Amino acid sequence: MPLLRQFTALFGSDIAKPPAGLSSPSTAGCHPAEAEDEGHVRTFLGNAFSSFGDVAELKFPGKGCGFGFMRGPYCSYATAAGVHVLFSGEVGAWPGIDSVQSNHDAFMSNVKPAEDDDAHWLLDFYSTFTHSEVHNDEVVLQEALECLSEIKGSFAFVIYDSVGHRVLAARDAEGAQPMYWGSTEDGRLLFGTTVTDLAGCNPTSTLFPAGSLFASTRHVISSDPGPQGWVIEGDDFPGEILSFVKADAGHWRSVTAIPRITSKGCVTGAVYKVSSKPDLEHPARA
């Protein structure tokens, strides 16, 4: 019987950009249309989860992305208002909320729990710091880092916000919950809780750094200038990887990309490590 906490998330290059260093050099000439082929996404996930029968579920939010997962006590999916959350692990306490006690109280009172599972709890927290129009990307990232630093439990998750054009992924600081990631030859970004899910990412596949948050945002044209001025549709920036482990009272730890080099001297992506040094570009709240 497979462990019911497996998930895979696949994103086309038009949805999420890997951080500098993760991509294989062979992705430089890939055609975006190939990376957005929904037929490929359905085939890939269908093959990956075909042996799990009715336990497996597949979701296709569109635009070349897809999710496959084995729903159970330790793996869940939630969606609302264009936001999709894929979660694996077990959280005992969210910021300000003891979810274990909340579920116990609901059981003793014979009422429905406040939320069905951890994916729905995470969806609630995400919506609280993205609903306001004044929340730009930097504010959202800071809110996310603060929230993640306070979660008690093991977790790995991926969030796709089709409205905010944002992809987030994170793994608990202790590294108790596994998650891997990599970039395929045709430019797709892939996350998976088992290393076999990333066979198509060789040689770039690697363990996602514990205590880190990945964020990739697609900029779209705006009707009025905002904090970033006039944003032109199609502007692309590599995704960034940030630590939510504090180096001191006012700073998060930095994340360092260590190039992987073969015996023949070829660079095949990078391994990301959380260091003890503070990230001066992304200060934490004092």
Side-chain angles (χ1 to χ4, degrees), residues 138 141-142 145-146 211-213 240-257 272-285:
E138 187 61 31
L141 286 180
Q142 283 301 317
L145 293 174
E146 293 288 348
S212 298
L213 169 71
E240 54 184 333
I241 183 81
L242 307 170
S243 172
F244 54 84
V245 178
K246 291 186 177 180
D248 53 46
H251 296 91
W252 306 108
R253 293 186 181 182
S254 60
V255 180
T256 303
Y272 294 83
K273 299 289 185 180
V274 176
S275 71
S276 58
K277 297 180 180 180
D279 184 347
L280 300 180
E281 295 183 3
H282 299 89
R285 294 173 182 171

Side-chain angles (χ1 to χ4, degrees), residues 173-194:
E174 299 298 325
Q177 183 63 34
M179 184 166 71
Y180 302 83
W181 64 334
S183 178
T184 64
E185 290 187 354
D186 54 5
R188 295 180 175 90
L189 183 60
L190 187 62
F191 296 89
T193 51
T194 64

